[in-house]
Amino acid sequence: EHALINLHSILISLFSNAIKTAYPTLEDIGQPAVSAGSKFADYQCNASMQICKLLKAKGENVSPNVVAKKLVECLGQCNIIEKVDVSGQGFINVWLSRNKLRDILQYVLENNLKPKPLTNPQKIVIDFSSPNVAKEMHVGHLRSTIIGDSLCRVFEFIGHDVLRINHIGDWGTQFGMLIALLQDKFPNYKTESPPINDLQQFYKQSKVLFDSDLEFKKRAYECVVKLQSMSPDHVQAWKLICDVSRKEFQKIYERLNISIIERGESFYQSRMENLVKDLENKGFLENDNGRKIMWSPESSIPLTVVKSDGGFTYDTSDFATLKQRIEEEKADRIIYVVDSGQSVHFDILKKCAIHSGLLDPSKVRMDFVGFGVVLGEDKKKFKTRSGDTVRLVSLLDEGIKRARDKLVEKGRDKVLTDKELQLAETAVAYGCIKYADLCHNRSHDYVFSFDKMLDDKGNTAVYLLYTLTRIRSIINNLGTHTQDLNEPISLDHDKEWKLAKTLLRFSEVLSKITEDFCLHHLCEYLYDVATIFNEFYDNCYCIEKNPQTGEIVKVFTGRILLCKVTAQYMNTGLNLLGINTVSRM
Ligand code: ARG
């Protein structure tokens, strides 16, 4: 038996086999529609209507009800099913076996919620976060960081070999002006590391000079050329500048508990040179007013592979990067978590890569995971009051402050120790920022609002964290009453059963995420679990107390076990979203 059993996919394959047996001459109709949670059944299959239409087209006239009955006759034996029946209109209702589901939950209790090791783990490169040196790491990069990290966690949990790559913008013409300014302001940079504390400011200053001072501009260009030909002094200056940025980025990653490997655009310099030669030799490049461009028959815009001044572009760099990931990393899947504004870039890249023979989509799957814009409460692009982009560090600081205020407002500072309060405050602050991002459909824009995300009612991290600590305290408060927990998990009450069925949708949710990369499925799942748990807890006594003394007089062990297993699912789910849980808050 296995903890990560996917009931939904088992049912789909049962029905799909039944269809093949019942109607062997019907062309493949794809996956039959099976859905969970109707009022009338645990799962429902409504493939009969579709089959009727296909049969009708072949001149056979039968009702959905007749088709449904025939499918049920052909349905193979399966121990997750208790019974099946057919509605008048031809829906097939499936009731799940309580004993079977209890066995699975029992297994999870004893062995934890962990998938079996995969026989064929895939190598998956996930490109996420990827801010630019010396430029602002903004809320768009925050989205990429949060979504990307969570996707990594999901694929790692399932058992794949994930390579987390930070494709930092650390190469390109902007370094010319940065190096030129560094040489002017800190002539001793080769021996003393320059005390730049505000790199953004430094960048702005160099840009002003670049635009106003011709001599500076000329020198900036020379610096780029020298850097790209790897002159040691220029490489050193470049490294110093990257270091300043790196330290800033690292602070954010540490606070948000993100692990990621830095491999910026500079890593691909020699690979870009080789790539261009290769594409040129194979005749893929076309001269367009001095630029070298590449077309694919599929797209209406070309890639710019070499600029007219001989320099490389974002296109060149991503082409070389893709090649490195396919040929050197031997990736089975490559996932780009980048704002939707770049979807065209990745679309052309993919088409050209296929055209050039580099990418074979039947062997390597390349996915673009785009996302919408973060808006302020005025529904405009998220900005500070003065109109500047919001600095991530200050955003996180404000989150911490707001989370603490919220906890104090609820009087938690009087109940929790200092250490507990501090843990709760970071769990809430970072948890709510991550959750607010992940719970929306990623392709939509979303409004950033601390007030909303710190609400303890509704679909928020705070509600989930409270529910989980509530469950944990139910278990911890048993103290010496924790008898031997040998009783079976109780699934007799309606609310118990509803909770069990919801918990067991976990695996279905994860497999959906591996297809559409939408983490809001997991958020919705956790929200369902929490709500249904609270319903269960309001309806079913887990312990009985002496009304006078408050002392526990009876423990309903089977229900306590249901609490425990619910906590396991919630904890695992929250961890996959990158959210730390606490035992008290
Ligand atoms: N640095 C880019 C930006 O800030 C994102 C890079 C995404 N990854 C990539 N392989 N192009 O817009």
Side-chain angles (χ1 to χ4, degrees), residues 127 130-132 141 167 169 265 314 318 325 336 338 342 346:
D127 177 320
S130 310
N132 302 314
H141 296 120
H167 190 80
E265 293 175 12
Y314 194 51
D318 263 322
R325 290 174 185 172
Y336 296 87
V338 189
Q342 299 194 27
F346 285 100

Side-chain angles (χ1 to χ4, degrees), residues 298-309:
E298 303 282 321
S299 62
S300 51
I301 313 175
L303 288 181
T304 301
V305 182
V306 186
K307 289 190 290 188
S308 48
D309 66 3

Side-chain angles (χ1 to χ4, degrees), residues 41 46 52 227 320 413 531:
N46 60 9
C52 276
L227 176 63
D413 53 326
T531 321

Side-chain angles (χ1 to χ4, degrees), residues 547-567:
Q548 262 87 54
T549 61
E551 203 192 323
I552 297 175
V553 290
K554 184 169 164 50
V555 175
F556 295 87
T557 307
R559 289 181 174 162
I560 294 294
L561 293 176
L562 187 55
C563 292
K564 276 198 165 178
V565 79
T566 304

Side-chain angles (χ1 to χ4, degrees), residues 400-410:
I400 293 284
K401 191 189 155 300
R402 297 260 207 148
R404 166 164 293 239
D405 291 350
K406 188 87 191 179
L407 290 162
V408 170
E409 186 189 304
K410 294 182 148 247

